[in-house]
């Protein structure tokens, strides 16, 4: 069995599971976000009265943080009241940040856990050796009532990363290359595991970016086998309490793809799909109205650090807005202590409170018709960040900062040598 | 989940994501009637005006990719869409739609076969899709027994209520 299958088997109370079968699993951690009041509606519609295990539920008020409309405010009010009534202590209110970063910061995800959140980017937690997967509101309501949910045991695709990463090239560039090569639907219903010597040189932040973006190839979940990098991060605050599961020798992957990152240049996904990927060199000079740095994909301390390095002592182009959103309170505090916030504000950045912000086009950095944005977030679908006639380029945080500086798409490598 | 449904086809391409099906700016809405007003807004601004109960969506690969928003399934169901026929579906959208009792059929090659406005007849049990306008036909991949059980119960909510011994009249 694959380690991911062992996670499902444990959660299903079984010795083993078989690829393709449907199993009912006890969920170790269930997260709800504030976009989905339907979760509470479905809970009531299915006759839910008491949450099965409130200690295993986390409520995130992150997508509308803070509320911009009366409806958003009322939804958040209902979520808070639900948490208070049901004894859900892990209420992450509007001052905490984006769900996936909070789970990492608070070390709430451990290797071997089954983590389900009403958010597609729950694949992020593969960075910690967990089975993280996104569901909709009604599925989450079923977990609230029963503590369980059905899953189809997925085939696993292995992405083997070899070679040496060049200057100005990051995990975001690697995963864009992978998605561009394999396609936006390559991973549908399947899991993606990353292996190979490149992982030894990627910290938890970059591993989270790799796993996070597997959603953009349709993956059900992602996985990186926990190693000393994982344990160092996790043992920082808590004793490691979960047994670490490993994949059996001889496990048959559905497919294995090897990528040699040596010589890889900064990548960009051009409008309007995440698999429309090429070297950033193809688009150098394209004028940029807004550069967006943030989210569960690209708003971590390391991301703000590289932006600060590029912009230290410089000013952004006066025709470009540079919207920066730390992914969480923890990220915000650490970036402040390290001086990155000061550097970025002095360079001309517009700061937004830790949240999902403009990534999903609800508020705080919406694009006008005909505008062009370069983003460290995950998606460039038509209308994703505002008007359907706005154009979105997805790139690494370094490429975003370089574009903010020059007012046009630029190669970040020149600022990082 | 029995019988044959008939309706007009609305035809779209590949990788129709949930932001196109239901834009992020309206995610604070929950009432299905309000949610239905914005159906397919980013890919087909006329859809909400033109759709009639029983109509179907036909699409290429990876329909419903992107966000986990159940709104994407709610907006189609509340618009009267009777089924979605696509080359393939993104997994969260698939779960959300089946949970609501909205049948999704994986139909290889269908996007090239059907034109907008064609009258379709779909036998949900047999998986047989006939384009009555052109006479073309496609056979859908069979649904899993678990999915059939959810659809047979009219969606996951009635199924869970039944499993928990709650009467629908309650």
């Amino acid at each position: 069995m694959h380690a991911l299958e062992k996670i499902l088997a444990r959660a299903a109370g079984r010795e083993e599971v078989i690829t393709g079968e449907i199993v009912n699993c006890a969920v170790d951690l269930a997260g709800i976000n504030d976009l989905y009041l339907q979760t509470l509606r479905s809970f009531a519609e299915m006759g839910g009265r008491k949450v099965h295990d409130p200690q295993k539920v986390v409520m995130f008020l992150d997508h509308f943080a803070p509320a911009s409309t009366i409806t958003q405010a009322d939804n958040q009010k209902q979520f808070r009241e639900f948490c208070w009534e049901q004894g859900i202590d892990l209420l992450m209110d509007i001052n905490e940040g984006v769900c996936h970063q909070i789970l990492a910061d608070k070390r709430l995800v451990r290797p071997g856990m089954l983590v389900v959140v009403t958010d597609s980017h729950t694949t992020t937690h593969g960075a910690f050796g967990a089975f993280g997967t996104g569901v909709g509101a009604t599925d989450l309501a079923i977990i609230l009532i029963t503590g369980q949910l059905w899953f189809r045991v997925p085939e696993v695709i292995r992405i083997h990363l070899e070679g040496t990463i060049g200057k100005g090239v990051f995990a975001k560039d690697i995963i864009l290359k992978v998605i561009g090569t394999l396609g936006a639907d390559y991973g549908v219903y399947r899991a993606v595991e990353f292996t190979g010597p490149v992982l030894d040189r990627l910290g938890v932040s970059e591993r989270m970016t790799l796993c996070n973006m597997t959603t953009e190839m349709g993956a059900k979940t992602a996985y990186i086998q926990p190693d000393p990098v994982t344990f160092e991060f996790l043992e920082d605050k808590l004793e490691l309490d979960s047994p670490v599961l490993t994949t059996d020798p001889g496990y048959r992957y559905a497919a294995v793809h090897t990528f040699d990152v040596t010589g890889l240049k900064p990548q960009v996904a051009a409008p309007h799909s995440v698999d429309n990927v090429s070297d950033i060199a193809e688009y150098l000079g394209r004028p940029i109205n807004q550069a967006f740095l943030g989210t569960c994909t690209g708003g971590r301390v390391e991301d703000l650090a590289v932006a600060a390095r590029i912009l230290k002592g410089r000013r952004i182009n006066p025709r470009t807005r540079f919207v920066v959103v730390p992914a969480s309170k923890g990220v915000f505090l650490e970036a402040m202590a390290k001086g990155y916030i000061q550097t970025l504000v002095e360079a001309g950045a517009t700061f937004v409170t830790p949240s999902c912000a403009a990534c999903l086009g609800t508020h705080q950095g919406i694009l006008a018709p005909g505008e062009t944005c370069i983003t460290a977030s995950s998606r460039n679908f038509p209308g994703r960040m505002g008007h359907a006639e706005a154009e979105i380029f997805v790139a690494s945080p370094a490429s975003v900062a370089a574009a903010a500086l020059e007012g046009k798409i630029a190669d970040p490598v020149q600022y990082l040598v | 989940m029995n019988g044959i449904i008939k309706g007009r086809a609305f035809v779209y391409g590949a990788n129709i994501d949930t932001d196109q099906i239901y834009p992020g700016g309206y995610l604070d809405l929950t009432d299905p009637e309000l949610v239905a007003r914005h159906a397919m807004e980013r890919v087909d601004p006329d859809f909400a005006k033109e759709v009639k109960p029983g109509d179907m969506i036909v699409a290429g690969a990876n329909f419903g990719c992107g966000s986990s928003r159940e709104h994407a399934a709610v907006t189609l169901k509340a618009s009267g869409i009777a089924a979605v026929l696509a080359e393939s579906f993104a997994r969260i959208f698939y779960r959300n739609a089946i949970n609501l009792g909205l049948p999704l059929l994986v139909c290889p090659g269908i996007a090239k076969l059907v034109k907008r406005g064609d009258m379709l007849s779909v036998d949900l049990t047999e998986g047989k899709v006939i384009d009555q306008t052109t006479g073309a036909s496609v056979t859908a991949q069979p649904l899993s027994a678990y999915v059939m059980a959810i659809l047979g119960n009219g969606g996951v909510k009635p199924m869970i209520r039944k499993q928990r011994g709650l009467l629908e009249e309650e």
Side-chain angles (χ1 to χ4, degrees):
Chain A
M1 282 193 292
H2 192 277
L4 286 167
E5 295 181 318
K6 293 181 184 179
I7 295 174
L8 291 184
R10 179 195 53 74
R14 301 251 303 261
E15 284 295 313
E16 65 171 9
V17 295
I18 299 162
T19 306
E21 76 170 316
I22 288 173
V23 289
N24 215 30
C25 294
V27 173
D28 298 309
L29 192 69
I32 312 163
N33 70 49
D34 55 351
L35 295 177
Y36 307 123
L37 188 66
Q38 183 61 47
T39 312
L40 306 191
R41 296 272 176 92
S42 291
F43 178 78
E45 286 162 14
M46 289 184 285
R49 294 211 168 80
K50 284 301 292 177
V51 169
H52 180 265
D53 189 346
Q55 299 311 309
K56 290 183 177 171
V57 177
V58 193
M59 178 71 228
F60 303 100
L61 306 186
D62 56 354
H63 286 66
F64 293 141
S68 302
T69 68
I70 291 166
T71 309
Q72 291 171 12
D74 190 54
N75 291 358
Q76 291 185 339
K77 176 169 173 270
Q78 293 183 56
F79 280 123
R80 289 188 191 100
E81 288 167 356
F82 184 80
C83 290
W84 299 334
E85 284 163 20
Q86 295 285 343
I88 295 169
D89 297 328
L90 293 171
L91 166 60
M92 302 298 158
D93 216 309
I94 60 165
N95 58 343
E96 289 284 355
V98 183
C99 53
H100 305 302
Q101 191 60 39
I102 294 171
L103 292 178
D105 288 356
K106 296 185 185 294
R107 309 308 196 263
L108 287 169
V109 176
R110 327 286 304 166
M113 279 174 69
L114 175 57
V115 179
V116 182
V117 185
T118 57
D119 190 280
S120 58
H121 289 110
T122 310
T123 55
T124 305
H125 306 290
F128 308 106
F131 190 118
T133 194
V135 298
T138 299
D139 271 334
L140 206 289
I142 293 171
I143 300 170
L144 293 182
I145 293 172
T146 67
Q148 300 186 341
L149 194 64
W150 66 272
F151 297 95
R152 181 183 164 280
V153 180
E155 295 84 4
V156 184
I157 300 157
R158 182 175 161 199
I159 307 284
H160 191 71
L161 302 175
E162 291 184 345
T164 310
I165 308 170
K167 278 213 168 19
V169 177
F170 301 88
K172 183 67 169 290
D173 300 300
I174 295 171
I175 189 63
L176 284 174
K177 181 71 182 175
V178 170
I179 296 169
T181 305
L182 298 177
D185 63 347
Y186 183 76
V188 173
Y189 304 121
R190 305 195 282 186
V192 172
E193 179 183 7
F194 296 97
T195 61
V198 170
L199 292 177
D200 297 339
R201 294 187 295 280
L202 297 181
V204 160
S205 171
E206 298 222 65
R207 293 174 177 201
M208 288 174 75
T209 303
L210 283 184
C211 292
N212 172 285
M213 286 290 290
T214 62
T215 299
E216 307 314 323
M217 54 195 288
K220 178 183 199 130
T221 190
Y223 191 75
I224 292 173
Q225 184 62 41
D227 66 4
V229 173
T230 328
F231 299 131
E232 191 188 335
F233 178 86
L234 293 172
E235 287 172 342
D236 204 15
K237 285 184 181 165
L238 287 171
E239 287 296 307
L240 196 63
D241 50 10
S242 317
V244 173
L245 303 168
T246 54
T247 298
D248 294 330
Y251 171 79
R252 284 176 65 98
Y253 288 89
V256 179
H257 298 276
T258 298
F259 287 82
D260 186 342
V261 304
T262 309
L264 182 71
K265 304 287 188 224
Q267 301 288 297
V268 66
H272 291 284
S273 70
V274 185
D275 59 1
N276 185 18
V277 175
S278 54
D279 287 358
I280 203 165
E282 298 279 316
Y283 294 96
L284 293 183
R286 176 75 64 104
I288 291 295
N289 303 101
Q290 179 166 298
F292 182 67
L293 179 67
T295 78
C296 59
T297 311
R300 282 178 269 283
V301 173
E302 292 79 354
D303 304 324
L304 273 60
V306 74
R309 192 173 152 204
I310 290 169
L311 287 160
K312 178 94 180 162
R314 298 184 167 112
R315 291 279 307 169
I316 63 166
N317 186 285
R319 294 196 174 196
T320 301
R321 314 179 294 272
F322 184 31
V323 177
V324 182
V325 194
S328 68
K329 176 162 73 181
V331 169
F332 200 6
L333 286 168
E334 189 176 339
M336 213 175 322
K338 289 179 169 167
Y340 306 149
I341 306 293
Q342 176 99 14
T343 297
L344 294 173
V345 171
E346 284 174 355
T350 303
F351 265 78
V352 172
T353 200
S355 64
C356 305
C359 170
L360 70 160
T362 53
H363 61 172
Q364 296 172 330
I366 300 293
L367 302 174
E371 286 197 317
T372 303
C373 176
I374 187 166
T375 182
S377 64
S378 56
R379 290 179 177 148
N380 59 354
F381 305 149
R384 170 73 180 177
M385 298 177 72
H387 198 275
E389 284 162 29
E391 299 211 308
I392 304 168
F393 288 83
V394 176
S396 77
S399 297
V400 168
L405 177 62
E406 296 199 12
K408 59 191 185 197
I409 293 182
D411 190 332
V413 174
Q414 60 192 305
Y415 300 107
L416 295 169
V417 286
Chain B
M1 186 53 199
N2 288 319
I4 292 170
I5 53 173
K6 288 182 182 174
R8 298 175 305 163
F10 286 80
V11 184
Y12 305 102
N15 296 320
I16 301 297
D17 60 79
T18 56
D19 278 272
Q20 294 186 71
I21 299 169
Y22 190 80
Y26 311 118
L27 287 170
D28 53 356
L29 303 177
T30 313
D31 178 356
E33 276 178 39
L34 298 180
V35 170
R37 289 182 194 172
H38 303 288
M40 304 300 284
E41 197 170 286
R42 286 281 155 74
V43 63
D44 181 1
D46 297 326
F47 176 88
K49 288 194 294 269
E50 292 183 14
V51 67
K52 293 197 183 81
D55 287 345
M56 287 174 249
I57 284 177
V58 170
N62 206 22
F63 186 83
C65 60
S67 133
S68 63
R69 61 192 68 168
E70 196 163 293
H71 297 75
V74 171
T75 196
L76 299 182
K77 172 107 174 158
S79 296
I81 286 293
V84 185
L85 319 174
E87 314 256 343
S88 65
F89 293 94
R91 55 163 288 275
I92 304 179
F93 177 80
Y94 189 87
R95 292 185 74 111
N96 287 343
I98 297 296
N99 279 345
L100 285 175
L102 173 63
L104 303 186
L105 294 177
V106 175
C107 302
I110 194 163
K112 289 191 187 74
L113 220 58
V114 176
K115 302 239 168 348
R116 186 179 179 115
D118 285 2
M119 277 301 294
L120 301 181
S121 146
V122 178
D123 184 328
L124 291 172
T125 321
E126 299 292 322
K128 188 82 174 166
V129 180
I130 298 169
D131 185 330
Q132 296 185 319
T133 308
T134 65
S137 69
V138 184
T139 303
Q141 288 176 10
L143 296 166
S144 74
Y146 201 88
V147 165
M148 288 292 280
I150 296 173
L151 291 175
N153 278 285
V156 81
K157 289 176 200 167
M159 188 171 95
I160 295 278
R161 287 180 66 87
K162 201 182 283 179
Q163 284 171 0
R164 301 180 70 233
L166 300 173
L167 298 173
E168 284 308 299
E169 292 76 18
E170 190 192 353

